[in-house]
Amino acid sequence: MTHTDFLQQHLEAHQDALRALNITMYHRPDREYHWFADFPYVVAELDDGEGHVDAKVMAVKYPITHHGGILVMPNEDSEYYEIGWGDLQFGDIESILDALPEE
């Protein structure tokens, strides 16, 4: 029987996606991208302590760090908040990367 460290695989995939997103944002002319408020392409799940809350990703800015670089709006009546990759659920970084237009 082979021992497989699934947590390490999960972390490596998350770090690879983060690295790819940072490289992509670094090579953009203004190093940031904003989605239109009425047509966000990405919805991320945030942990609010009582469960998960869906939030619209409104913008990303290089560098995306553990605590910053991603602007979200949790709901239509709320304000914008800057979060980092540490606040995102697994798969949200890949969704952001996939939603960025080619330049």
Side-chain angles (χ1 to χ4, degrees):
M1 185 159 149
T2 306
H3 174 72
T4 305
D5 188 350
F6 291 108
L7 179 59
Q8 184 62 32
Q9 289 176 352
H10 174 82
L11 291 175
E12 286 175 6
H14 197 68
Q15 289 171 344
D16 288 346
L18 176 63
R19 190 175 305 109
L21 180 57
N22 268 321
I23 289 169
T24 300
M25 295 310 297
Y26 177 80
H27 290 293
R28 294 188 69 82
D30 56 1
R31 295 192 178 175
E32 61 185 59
Y33 183 79
H34 297 261
W35 283 276
F36 295 107
D38 59 343
F39 192 60
Y41 293 127
V42 179
V43 175
E45 282 189 29
L46 307 176
D47 187 2
D48 70 349
E50 298 176 4
H52 296 290
V53 174
D54 288 341
K56 295 177 182 178
V57 176
M58 305 307 292
V60 288
K61 173 180 69 171
Y62 178 82
I64 293 93
T65 66
H66 191 269
H67 299 289
I70 303 168
L71 188 69
V72 297
M73 184 173 61
N75 61 47
E76 295 297 332
D77 299 327
S78 188
E79 296 183 21
Y80 296 102
Y81 297 96
E82 185 172 7
I83 63 169
W85 64 264
D87 298 308
L88 298 175
Q89 300 296 315
F90 183 73
D92 288 341
I93 293 174
E94 288 90 349
S95 298
I96 292 170
L97 189 57
D98 290 343
L100 288 171
E102 296 291 324
E103 283 210 3

